[in-house]
Amino acid sequence: MRSCSPSRRTASRWRSLAAAAAIAVAGSGASVAADKAAHPIKDPHYGDTLFHFFQDHYFTSITTLMVSQHFDRVAQHADEAEILRGGMLLSYGLHREAGQIFAQLIEKGASPSVRDRAWFYLAKIRYQRGYLAEADDAIARVENHLPPALEEERGLLKAQLLMARQDYAGAAALLQSMTRSPGAGRYARYNLGVALIRSGDTAGGTALLDELGRTPAENEEQRSLRDKANVAIGFAALQEERADDARKYLERVRLTSMQSNKALLGFGWAAAALKRPRDALVPWTELATRDASDAAVLEARIAVPYAYAELGAVGQALTRYTEAITAFERESTSLDESIAAIRAGKLVDGLIERNPGDEMGWFWNIRELPEMPHAGHLAQVLAQHEFQEAFKNFRDLRFLSRNLQGWAENLVVFDDMLANRRQAYAERLPKILAAQKESRSGLASLQQRRDALARELAGAQAQNDAAAFADAKQHDLLRRLDAVEAALKGAGDGPELAAARERARLAAGALTWQLAQDYPARLWEAQKGLAHTDAQLEQARRHEAALAQAQRDEPARFEAFAQRIAALHPRIQALIPRVAALSREQQGQVQDLAVAELTRQKERLAVYATQARFAVAQLVDRATLSRKADDSPPQ
């Protein structure tokens, strides 16, 4: 009988932990969509990090985020970025580093809801990783600012921590207060029932689990929990020798559920306890045909002949015991073959091949079994949380190894790129220097021309000389008028000449008036042109200064890049063998865990085989004694 929590309902719930932590600062809203709608992305680099995150590319996401934080590119999402980084560190099991991030956020004065969510998620993953003391410390820091959707999970987590310390009475008291609240969940009632039974209040725990076991279920999750509750109180009744009650509870369990094997086994033993071996044969016979990797199936294979023996069918009992022993020996041989395949690396290699992934990540799960002899043996192995965690660590090490190999190759490419840039710089520098020398002389000449124009403009403006701004046509007219006036001046005083002089005077006046009218606009255009010339000259000087600065800085930049490449190369080359060694060590640990589980299965087989042989011996002795008694002469 084990406690149960919503966090174990489906593997996808654990995938949501870091995501929920990542948006914890978004407010007190319950839904992710609402949080994102209320808090639009303002820094594109933060949006890029979230894109990779929601694509399940956690390694790319966290490295991208850390680079953006280093260059201060996510300033408008500073707290959200830290929460996201902490959540992803949690996803890799780096709970200490994540705890430091959360503690720093709290010290900075994070809002109470952010603080409580951060500590809650930290406690939850610490509990899942088996760090109970650290989980206790984190959950104790949570105050009263969690959203309602997380309050029940918080209570369940505290109860689980109490039960992990075998404080069943404390867990029962906590869960009792939770179940009195409106809308208390099924998991709270289930865990309360388990805690009550373990604390000695069997009647109270049974009543609660019995109610849960009869509650209508709307989905598979609720049906599975209902089956689990019925199995729990069924075996509790068997332990108290209440066989009738045990049968009543166990017959509620669905034949296709995960709990059906236990239920069939217990249902048969309840019938046997009532001295009804014929009734026990029905569930045991069904159970004996199922997958032998389950201990309940192995027990059923010797329970069936036991029932036949109780019915007096000694021949059938001996046959079934012999079949069971043969099956146990065959299964033991198969287990030896599976163990040999595991030690040869076929399990690990097969799992990697059948369950590929682009990146490392704690949320990754094994979905397909490898091609191996007797793959059915792996069900119990893969069901172990310890094995799952060990294999994830091995897979992450393989990813890191590939990543390091990729960077080792990239450094060679970067070195070539740097050499090409240095060569291109060396080839272009003489041309640039020649152009720069020519540019300097050209700039000086342009500056002199500009200064001359500026003096000319200032003089014209000071004298209010509109003629200085005449266009080509007007200059031509001025020259023609000057020529006419000079010719008329020396021509005499005749009437026709007087009329000509009057026309010349009128033309000169009209031209002077036109120049005066155009003067303000032309003065402004000239000043504007001078300002534009100044801006262009300043830009040219800045460009020249930038070129000069680049000539000084570029060699230093090349050298800095070269030093970084040179420094990274030995570090990566040192890490590659270390990661390879850790990978081999971790692969050995994964294989040892698998072998240990299969060895336990072999030991169970040996125990059941011994029991079967002992039962056969008893039956043979009983038959021999009975035959001798029949052959003895009457006294």
Side-chain angles (χ1 to χ4, degrees), residues 303-384:
V304 168
Y306 165 79
Y308 278 121
E310 290 295 305
L311 289 170
V314 176
Q316 286 181 290
L318 286 171
T319 300
R320 289 302 187 101
Y321 274 128
T322 302
E323 291 174 352
I325 292 170
T326 302
F328 292 157
E329 291 173 347
R330 184 170 57 250
E331 187 70 12
S332 182
T333 301
S334 299
L335 284 169
D336 287 334
E337 294 174 357
S338 294
I339 289 173
I342 290 171
R343 292 203 181 279
K346 292 183 178 179
L347 172 62
V348 172
D349 293 342
L351 285 174
I352 290 291
E353 181 181 351
R354 298 296 294 274
N355 299 271
D358 295 334
E359 295 200 5
M360 59 190 288
W362 192 55
F363 301 127
W364 175 86
N365 290 296
I366 297 172
R367 295 179 177 86
E368 292 190 28
L369 294 178
E371 293 290 341
M372 280 186 61
H374 319 294
H377 296 152
L378 301 178
Q380 296 295 324
V381 174
L382 301 184
Q384 291 182 321

Side-chain angles (χ1 to χ4, degrees), residues 76 90 179 248 320 370 422 426 487 493:
Q76 298 187 78
L90 282 178
T179 55
K248 179 181 68 174
R320 289 302 187 101
R422 276 178 162 166
D493 297 326

